[in-house]
Amino acid sequence: AAPKRVPPQQVRLVRADKVLGERYNSSTLADVRRAFPQPEEPIWYASLITRTPRKIATILDPETGKLVERAREIFSSWFRCFAVSQPDKVGLFLTRQGAADFIDSCLGDGCLPEDGRVTRYFLDFDDDQDGLLTEENFLELYRRTMTLNPTTVWSNLSAHGYGSDLRSLQDDLDEVMERARDEA
């Protein structure tokens, strides 16, 4: 019989007090062990089934069409994780490699800098055609994607551990652990 997969909405995998990404939450234990082979760090499970349903947050302000502040914070934090400084420029910039790494962090598909999705990002959002995306370029990518294909935005949020209320699943875990400590 094939291994049974548990829907990610039912169980969160936790390793060393950090929630693993959703793509691992829907994996079998064998898949997780291959991805995270360090046996000295235990894996345990925190069930979130009994949680009240999450409110669905607004990502774009309906009046202005701009990203709401919480969405800007999340997307900006992602940009800072994958962006690098350039010797001849001030600030951080997303290179083709950084963009590929970001796509891979969302999909786990081994995206490379030559991938068509990376090329499309740069054709559509590199406004000065210097081969670097600024933070504003990256935020515009998310603003436009939310308008044209919101499923992609929600999928990326989920892959990075955010729920439909734009709250980090790690925050939920921290609250569950704190309550458990208080009750002990």
Side-chain angles (χ1 to χ4, degrees):
K4 183 170 176 147
R5 293 184 183 265
V6 178
Q9 296 82 5
Q10 293 181 355
V11 175
R12 291 284 166 227
L13 290 176
V14 179
R15 178 179 217 127
D17 292 338
K18 183 160 176 45
V19 176
L20 300 181
E22 184 166 308
R23 70 178 184 223
Y24 298 111
N25 285 336
S26 60
S27 301
T28 64
L29 283 177
D31 294 337
V32 173
R33 284 192 189 103
R34 280 192 293 275
F36 298 94
Q38 302 92 9
E40 66 276 0
E41 294 181 26
I43 296 175
W44 58 275
Y45 304 86
S47 173
L48 300 178
I49 296 171
T50 59
R51 251 193 22 217
T52 56
R54 291 177 178 263
K55 175 184 132 194
I56 297 177
T58 301
I59 292 183
L60 294 179
D61 183 302
E63 292 178 19
T64 65
K66 293 182 179 179
L67 293 169
V68 298
E69 188 58 33
R70 179 65 181 140
R72 280 184 69 86
E73 289 170 5
I74 293 168
F75 302 146
S76 289
S77 74
W78 294 350
F79 175 83
R80 288 188 301 276
C81 285
F82 293 93
V84 294
S85 60
Q86 295 295 306
D88 57 337
K89 296 186 179 252
V90 176
L92 294 175
F93 300 89
L94 195 64
T95 62
R96 290 181 69 85
Q97 181 63 56
D101 291 344
F102 174 71
I103 292 170
D104 183 55
S105 76
C106 295
L107 301 173
D109 64 355
C111 183
L112 298 172
E114 304 80 33
D115 189 285
R117 294 168 293 182
V118 175
T119 299
R120 198 167 45 253
Y121 277 9
F122 282 83
L123 287 174
D124 292 347
F125 299 101
D126 182 8
D127 51 11
D128 59 1
Q129 299 300 307
D130 64 351
L132 301 168
L133 294 180
T134 65
E135 185 171 349
E136 284 307 312
N137 296 150
F138 189 75
L139 293 173
E140 176 59 19
L141 178 152
Y142 268 97
R143 190 201 65 73
R144 195 177 312 166
T145 303
M146 190 62 196
T147 303
L148 301 174
N149 190 5
T151 305
T152 298
V153 176
W154 289 112
S155 176
N156 291 356
L157 284 162
S158 180
H160 282 268
Y162 289 90
S164 60
D165 59 356
L166 301 183
R167 188 180 154 123
S168 166
L169 299 175
Q170 184 67 45
D171 292 341
D172 287 348
L173 175 64
D174 292 344
E175 282 182 19
V176 168
M177 292 175 68
E178 189 173 314
R179 273 186 273 155
R181 283 187 207 112
D182 291 345
E183 292 171 5

